[in-house]
Amino acid sequence: MDGDDLVRSVKAFGSVRGLRAVRSALRRRRADGWGLPARGPERARVPGRVQGAEPRPGGGVVRFARSDLEVRVAVGGAVFWGWDGAGPEPSYALAGPAPEPDARAVLEPDTDGGWRVVSERVMVAVSRHGAVEVRTPGGLLLRRELPPRWWEPADGGPGRWVQRSEVAADARVFGLGGRAHGPRLRDGTYRLWNTDPRGGFAPGDDPLYITMPVQLVVADAGTHLAFYDNTWDGRVLLREGEEGAGSGHDRAGYSELRMEGGPLRCWVVAGTPARVLRGWTALTGAPALPPSWALGPQHARWGFGSEAEVRRVVAGYREHRLPLSALHLDIDHYDAHQVFTVDRERFPDLPGLARDLAEDGVRLVSIVDPAVKARRGNAVYESGLAADAFVRDARGGEVRGVVWPGECVYPDFTDPRAREWWGGLYQERLDQGFAGVWHDMNEPTSFAPFGDPTLPRSARHALDGRGGDHREAHNVYGLAMARAGYEGLRRLRPDERPFLFSRSGWAGMQRYGGTWSGDVSTGWPGLRASLALVLGLGLCGVPYSGPDVGGFDGSPSPELYLRWLQLAALLPFFRTHSALWAGRREPWEFGPQVLGHARAALLERERLRPYFMTLAQLARLTGAPYARPLWWGAPGDRALRDCEDAFLLGDALLVAPVFEQGTDRRAVRLPRGRWYDTATEEPHEGPCQVLLDAPLARIPVLARAGSVIPVRGTDGEVELEVWAPAAGRTGGGLVVRDAGDGWEAAVVERFTTRTAGGRVVVERTTREGATRELGYAVRVRGGEG
């Protein structure tokens, strides 16, 4: 560190906190210096030649000269393989025990001295040198894993490894968690280490808060998801393939995964995109169902400052006839930023405020950070000491960092006892009247002027009884915190679905709630990154997410703010939020024209609330994200694979946001079928590209012909909006009604549409057959009704 680093640190965090951050960073370096073994001489190893094989249920073990490989096909078709004795468990990603092996899968000799596992949905071939190929039942290659290589310390300890893979030349890769550039991942290197980017981010910044070793690959041969179940720090090098012109050879797409330790094991799920996400959800858990109110508009600001300001903002929404479902309080409502406290001067009666807002249909949501101020007399710190809940270093001392409250300690959420203790603390939040929580700063973050802003890598963690250090625990810290909060809220308020979303997480985090963009930068690039994050996370199994409208760190122009709000109103999690220095985000602050257009977007979100509830229920049942890439239903359409500036909202709607300043028209690529412009009801036949009006008042939204969309009618009741099918074609849709915010089982209603005698016929499909007794009012659009 030099003097410039010190100056930057003081400017960023203030003089006292900046100096504390410097001391904390130096302590972290010293702790790792004596807490981590020095990496001495290493031995390189490859599997060697095949020696034989041992059949087991679902597959078997293939033995090589210097390693063993277990291959197993599970019930449902997911494929697992693990090297050097690595099995599916223990795993933070899996929702429970690993699925049972498929008894019908058979291990048998393959050509050229290799082996293969044959099953109904997939075939896995293992070469004599340790390459692993995943093929369709018809023999089409989906993925080839080249023989791995390990580098192991001569004196023992965790080894690092590299796994190189090949996919088809036409393949496109998505996933890897929350990435600011995408959702299609171009050539480049992506780090697997959850990181607070320390300020705003935009496309090109990497890594961010949520990284996952999950690759979803779409190619002509089929779609598959590959998940390397390893929580250590790593890097993924991607290189897209290239098809040879004329008689030239194809160059395969390439992936190289380098991990600093941990097991080499992988799951692969293959099929259509819908089947892949269903299989992935079966492995990692069904997404938590948000309460119905959490699907409405929400508002936040770092720096409301007082109860009076909160009441003023909520009154402004009502005065301007704007719907509002929730208001979020950031760290400024705490006493000296300390979690599970209240600043009584600025918020003298928080429970009373919560009751008053609830009467107006507005819930309060509280931020919760993991860092606990390390000061005697702090009740949370004292109770954590009694529970032995905090992360310790290799010598047994508390690991301390610097966050908003000052010098802090960190709960070890990989310890079941610490999770139970932490979950019990949420009673204080419930007593204050909060209806939900959002987890922040949980990568975990410790302010630092240099190096990673996190805990020492030598910090010790329980890892649910296995024991280990922060190198293994870091990426699952936010996931384990979400589990602690979610399970605590379920215990404390068992009759209501918890509302929880988290800035950081890992594979499987959808079991406990959703996420948001974090501190996305204000600007047109930040707007584009907002959609990339939502689509990428949805393909990793996290369907409930959204951005901070307007960006977090700056003051958007009225046009940028409005375009951001119009996009976010059609994404799963809809929230405005900003830093205290970035100005207000209330729609009336941007002038009467923006206010009118913002009102239209907010009211349309409210009109579509029944559709969002249906999508939320279907996400829980099937794993399908609310917001989907355009290729979702047509992965063989190469043009759609490369389209990143539009998305599908469920099966019925296509949304084309505006990402460029001053634009009032934009090109939209349509999938196959008839699509209606919902503003003009003009039909368009896909696949094609059309040029649509995009005035400041709205962004283009198109409805699929034949679709049935549940919406809120003018009387507040659910009605069916039916878009006329093309002549000779049929359509349909699903409706899952909101039964309240408890745990009632979802009832899925199925509707079909067709034309008969020049009219649109809508029928409800039941076990007894089709009926025209729908139970809903129907409004037909796009044709004669």
Side-chain angles (χ1 to χ4, degrees):
M1 178 185 183
D2 58 23
D4 290 339
D5 289 324
L6 178 59
V7 171
R8 282 193 293 269
S9 177
V10 171
K11 285 183 177 179
F13 308 125
S15 58
V16 175
R17 189 178 288 129
L19 292 172
R20 286 174 176 166
V22 171
R23 289 197 297 268
S24 175
L26 294 174
R27 283 200 306 266
R28 183 171 65 246
R29 282 191 173 184
R30 288 196 298 269
D32 285 345
W34 46 256
L36 289 178
R39 186 176 291 276
E42 294 179 319
R43 295 188 295 260
R45 173 168 62 92
V46 294
R49 290 182 64 91
V50 69
Q51 304 292 300
E54 173 191 334
R56 291 184 181 177
V61 175
V62 183
R63 305 197 186 280
F64 296 85
R66 290 177 290 277
S67 188
D68 292 341
L69 170 68
E70 179 185 359
V71 181
R72 178 193 309 180
V73 179
V75 172
V79 176
F80 171 83
W81 69 77
W83 288 94
D84 290 349
E89 301 174 58
S91 170
Y92 280 101
L94 300 187
E100 293 295 318
D102 184 352
R104 299 169 297 176
V106 178
L107 176 69
E108 59 187 31
D110 200 4
T111 58
D112 201 24
W115 294 83
R116 66 182 181 182
V117 178
V118 180
S119 70
E120 180 182 4
R121 294 183 180 175
V122 70
M123 182 177 69
V124 185
V126 181
S127 79
R128 66 187 184 194
H129 293 293
V132 179
E133 292 184 352
V134 180
R135 294 181 175 270
T136 68
L140 294 177
L141 179 65
L142 296 176
R143 188 177 193 88
R144 176 184 290 114
E145 304 279 348
L146 303 178
R149 180 181 293 269
W150 294 266
W151 289 269
E152 298 165 332
D155 296 331
R160 54 194 178 94
W161 50 264
V162 60
Q163 175 67 72
R164 298 180 174 93
S165 312
E166 294 178 347
V167 294
D170 65 282
R172 296 290 183 259
V173 180
F174 305 83
L176 294 183
R179 303 290 168 169
H181 39 194
R184 169 186 163 195
L185 300 176
R186 265 64 172 194
D187 295 1
T189 301
Y190 303 85
R191 190 179 178 194
L192 298 170
W193 186 255
N194 293 350
T195 302
D196 177 1
R198 292 185 283 192
F201 67 86
D205 293 327
D206 189 87
L208 301 178
Y209 314 99
I210 301 173
T211 65
M212 299 183 196
V214 176
Q215 298 180 23
L216 191 137
V217 182
V218 184
D220 287 352
T223 301
H224 74 272
L225 179 148
F227 166 57
Y228 299 90
D229 194 352
N230 184 309
T231 66
W232 285 62
D233 190 3
R235 283 177 168 78
V236 181
L237 171 65
L238 294 180
R239 185 185 67 202
E240 290 186 343
E242 184 175 340
E243 293 182 293
S247 60
H249 294 290
D250 289 351
R251 178 171 59 82
Y254 177 82
S255 168
E256 179 182 283
L257 173 62
R258 291 181 176 270
M259 301 298 292
E260 293 300 312
L264 174 44
R265 56 185 180 176
C266 182
W267 286 94
V268 171
V269 184
T272 64
R275 184 183 290 275
V276 167
L277 265 294
R278 184 188 291 269
W280 177 237
T281 299
L283 283 175
T284 60
L289 183 65
S292 57
W293 58 263
L295 295 172
Q298 304 180 49
H299 187 79
R301 188 200 310 156
W302 179 17
F304 278 123
S306 69
E307 176 181 324
E309 175 65 4
V310 169
R311 292 183 183 275
R312 186 195 70 82
V313 169
V314 174
Y317 270 85
R318 295 297 171 252
E319 175 188 349
H320 295 287
R321 296 176 287 112
L322 302 173
L324 181 66
S325 289
L327 187 137
H328 299 206
L329 296 187
D330 211 316
I331 56 173
D332 54 293
H333 86 279
Y334 283 129
D335 183 8
H337 296 159
Q338 171 53 41
V339 67
F340 301 121
T341 65
V342 177
D343 185 329
R344 299 294 180 183
E345 291 186 6
R346 293 183 293 163
F347 292 87
D349 183 14
L350 199 49
L353 173 64
R355 285 192 299 270
D356 292 346
L357 296 188
E359 290 177 1
D360 210 16
V362 179
R363 274 78 171 181
L364 273 184
V365 175
S366 171
I367 191 173
V368 174
D369 288 355
V372 175
K373 187 173 182 63
R375 184 181 65 187
R376 286 291 183 176
N378 174 9
V380 178
Y381 177 60
E382 297 283 1
S383 66
L385 288 176
D388 191 22
F390 299 124
V391 175
R392 296 188 176 275
D393 61 26
R395 296 178 178 177
E398 293 175 350
V399 170
R400 296 194 174 191
V402 175
V403 201
W404 301 115
E407 191 167 67
C408 294
V409 291
Y410 297 80
D412 181 7
F413 295 114
T414 70
D415 187 334
R417 298 172 304 167
R419 289 199 297 267
E420 184 174 5
W421 162 74
W422 185 263
L425 298 177
Y426 287 74
Q427 182 65 59
E428 184 273 341
R429 295 287 86 186
L430 298 179
D431 290 343
Q432 297 295 341
F434 288 106
V437 296
W438 52 296
H439 289 173
D440 206 346
M441 308 294 287
N442 58 337
E443 291 69 38
T445 292
S446 175
F447 294 149
F450 53 88
D452 279 340
T454 188
L455 305 187
R457 293 177 174 238
S458 59
R460 305 299 299 172
H461 291 266
L463 290 169
D464 287 273
R466 293 182 291 112
D469 58 42
H470 198 65
R471 294 175 296 177
E472 183 176 359
H474 174 85
N475 280 336
V476 294
Y477 189 88
L479 171 71
M481 181 185 179
R483 177 181 178 182
Y486 183 84
E487 292 178 347
L489 290 170
R490 286 209 62 174
R491 289 194 305 269
L492 296 170
R493 194 167 284 176
D495 296 331
E496 295 183 16
R497 302 195 298 265
F499 177 55
L500 184 152
F501 61 102
S502 173
R503 190 170 82 172
S504 184
W506 202 64
M509 65 180 293
Q510 73 277 358
R511 300 191 295 264
Y512 312 117
T515 185
W516 88 106
S517 63
D519 300 345
V520 61
S521 286
T522 298
W524 293 94
L527 172 59
R528 185 174 289 272
S530 297
L531 179 59
L533 284 162
V534 172
L535 292 178
L537 286 164
L539 296 175
C540 291
V542 185
Y544 183 77
S545 67
D548 284 344
V549 172
F552 180 76
D553 62 347
S555 299
S557 68
E559 180 187 5
L560 175 59
Y561 169 81
L562 181 59
R563 292 308 196 187
W564 216 313
L565 186 138
Q566 289 168 337
L567 165 63
L570 295 169
L571 294 175
F573 177 42
F574 180 22
R575 179 179 84 155
T576 57
H577 187 218
S578 64
L580 73 167
W581 63 79
R584 303 181 185 277
R585 290 288 187 272
E586 295 82 43
W588 56 90
E589 298 289 343
F590 293 87
Q593 183 184 37
V594 168
L595 173 61
H597 298 332
R599 182 184 295 112
L602 289 164
L603 291 176
E604 179 64 5
R605 173 60 175 237
E606 286 297 279
R607 194 181 75 89
L608 290 173
R609 280 276 287 278
Y611 185 50
F612 275 95
M613 175 51 65
T614 293
L615 295 178
Q617 294 277 10
L618 294 178
R620 181 164 181 80
L621 293 172
T622 70
Y626 311 24
R628 309 164 186 178
L630 291 188
W631 49 258
W632 177 261
D637 189 328
R638 296 189 178 187
L640 294 181
R641 285 184 216 158
D642 294 340
C643 183
E644 300 176 289
D645 61 354
F647 65 97
L648 298 174
L649 182 59
D651 285 331
L653 297 177
L654 188 157
V655 182
V658 172
F659 292 118
E660 296 181 2
Q661 184 176 2
T663 298
D664 61 3
R665 302 193 81 193
R666 63 149 294 176
V668 181
R669 181 163 293 280
L670 301 182
R672 182 174 301 277
R674 176 172 293 180
W675 296 86
Y676 294 100
D677 186 325
T678 57
T680 65
E681 302 194 10
E682 179 184 359
H684 302 275
E685 291 291 338
C688 68
Q689 182 167 284
V690 295
L691 189 63
L692 298 179
D693 290 335
L696 194 60
R698 59 179 173 84
I699 57 176
V701 178
L702 298 102
R704 189 190 301 270
S707 60
V708 178
I709 305 174
V711 298
R712 183 174 292 170
T714 55
D715 59 357
E717 296 298 318
V718 176
E719 65 180 29
L720 303 182
E721 182 172 273
V722 177
W723 288 88
R729 300 179 188 174
T730 60
L734 304 176
V735 176
V736 185
R737 297 206 63 164
D738 178 19
D741 292 336
W743 300 97
E744 295 83 356
V747 177
V748 180
E749 300 177 282
R750 301 176 183 274
F751 297 88
T752 60
T753 61
R754 57 187 172 87
T755 57
R759 296 182 62 84
V760 175
V761 178
V762 185
E763 294 176 317
R764 184 170 179 263
T765 304
T766 67
R767 292 181 179 178
E768 291 73 31
T771 176
R772 295 193 184 182
E773 296 294 328
L774 304 180
Y776 301 94
V778 175
R779 185 163 68 100
V780 176
R781 300 185 65 186
E784 295 295 328

